[in-house]
């Protein structure tokens, strides 16, 4: 995907990842249709820093910067909505920083809970079945395999989640969300 | 500060913090003049979630949402710049998430380095002298006092920083920035 274009996702979902200098992959988040991918690089005019991988069959429109600029100039409402979307992302990223700064259980609860909210918002048929395996979670919260296994066990014992072959089923999304807001000791 | 207004910071600097549910404070970042404070809540129309504290004498203009809307409608260029500023924040927050997901030394190096970059950008006379004490750092990277002390000692031994009465002097900002990009094992 060229650095001077963005994608308008009309169907399906993608996963956004970034590599650290040492080559460790970190999952930044998933984007569901209808959604927009790559708008920060286009707005900033900077280099593209993320990798985008389709999680299923997707349909998307590619929009080059020049055309995007024209649309925004002709339809200020689009620019408004874009600014609002970016403001929302800033808020969500701040929430994630807060959650990650607490213990791993809170961090994981936050990640699962916000993915669920996103899937409900996207109108998916089974929003409570998250396409995440252990490696995905490790890459999402930067934790070791052992830590992820330990924390997942704790969530399972509390009857909050159940892992079923590469997916995580949320059994009580509301209680999980409350856990994501709670604070605990650093671990 | 009312939830339907934003501040245009024309002189000085402020620190933005948020409380977790349990009452632990987390420093989200500092903003230097010329800067804007509270634009996400105004754009999202949501509740204000952060606390803003002046770090020194500040001059700021308060702009209510209605007036802000009028300005943005009359001057689309302002909306453009705002969208670009938000895109920049999204990128910086993603960088911070990456750094915090690595070890504490990388996280701290990232925080110090980005604060320095911000101070250089704001044209401050002594950008390398950061107004941070141990408690500030604990609140910024959500680490315990012992961890912060240990990592600061390591940075001092590498002649990267020196703590001088409630401030941190950066001795080699470029080398510190390289450290912030490096990855290490989780600790």
């Amino acid at each position: 995907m060229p650095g001077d274009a963005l994608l308008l996702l009309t169907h399906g979902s993608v996963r956004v990842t970034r590599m650290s200098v040492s080559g460790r992959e970190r999952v930044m988040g998933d984007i569901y249709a209808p959604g927009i991918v790559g708008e920060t690089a286009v707005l900033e005019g900077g280099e593209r820093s993320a990798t985008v991988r389709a999680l299923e069959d997707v349909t998307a429109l590619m929009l080059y910067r020049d055309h995007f600029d024209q649309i925004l100039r002709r339809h200020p409402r689009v620019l408004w909505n874009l600014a609002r979307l970016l403001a929302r992302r800033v808020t969500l990223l701040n929430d994630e920083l807060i959650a990650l700064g607490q213990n791993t259980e809170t961090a994981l609860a936050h990640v699962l809970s916000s993915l669920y909210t996103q899937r409900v918002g996207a109108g998916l048929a089974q929003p409570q079945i998250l396409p995440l395996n252990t490696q995905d979670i490790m890459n999402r919260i930067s934790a070791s395999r052992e830590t992820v296994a330990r924390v997942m066990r704790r969530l399972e014992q509390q009857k909050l989640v159940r892992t079923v072959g590469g997916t995580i089923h949320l059994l009580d999304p509301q209680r999980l969300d409350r856990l994501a807001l709670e604070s605990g000791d650093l671990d």
Side-chain angles (χ1 to χ4, degrees), chain A residues 79-144:
Chain A
L79 185 55
W80 257 112
N81 288 336
L82 183 66
R84 236 179 242 132
L85 183 131
L86 287 166
R88 183 88 205 117
R89 283 211 183 153
V90 167
T91 303
L92 291 176
L93 283 166
N94 276 324
D95 287 346
E96 186 160 338
L97 274 170
I98 294 260
L100 285 182
Q102 298 185 6
N103 57 38
T104 313
E105 192 171 315
T106 306
L108 182 52
H110 173 81
V111 163
L112 299 180
S113 185
S114 56
L115 187 53
Y116 171 75
T117 305
Q118 219 184 340
R119 289 171 62 88
V120 169
L124 298 190
Q126 296 188 302
Q128 80 283 8
I129 302 184
L130 311 180
L132 291 173
N133 58 34
T134 303
Q135 184 67 49
D136 293 329
I137 298 174
M138 290 164 59
N139 295 346
R140 187 80 172 84
I141 63 172
S142 297
S144 69

Side-chain angles (χ1 to χ4, degrees), chain A residues 1 4 6-7 9 25 36 50 55 59 78 96 101 107 131 135:
Chain A
M1 181 173 160
D4 59 345
L6 54 81
L7 285 183
L9 196 62
E25 189 182 47
I36 183 168
L55 286 174
T59 317
V78 178
E96 186 160 338
Q135 184 67 49

Side-chain angles (χ1 to χ4, degrees), chain A residues 61-76:
Chain A
L61 304 169
M62 189 178 281
L63 197 57
Y64 282 88
R65 185 182 312 186
D66 291 350
H67 293 144
F68 186 53
D69 283 3
Q70 280 175 32
I71 291 172
L72 294 182
R73 249 181 275 281
R74 257 182 257 163
H75 306 282

Side-chain angles (χ1 to χ4, degrees), chain A residues 5 22 68 85 89 105 147 150 158 174 176-177 179:
Chain A
S22 68
F68 186 53
L85 183 131
R89 283 211 183 153
E105 192 171 315
T147 304
R150 178 167 47 80
Q158 294 171 68
Q174 289 190 320
L176 191 72
D177 192 49
L179 185 66

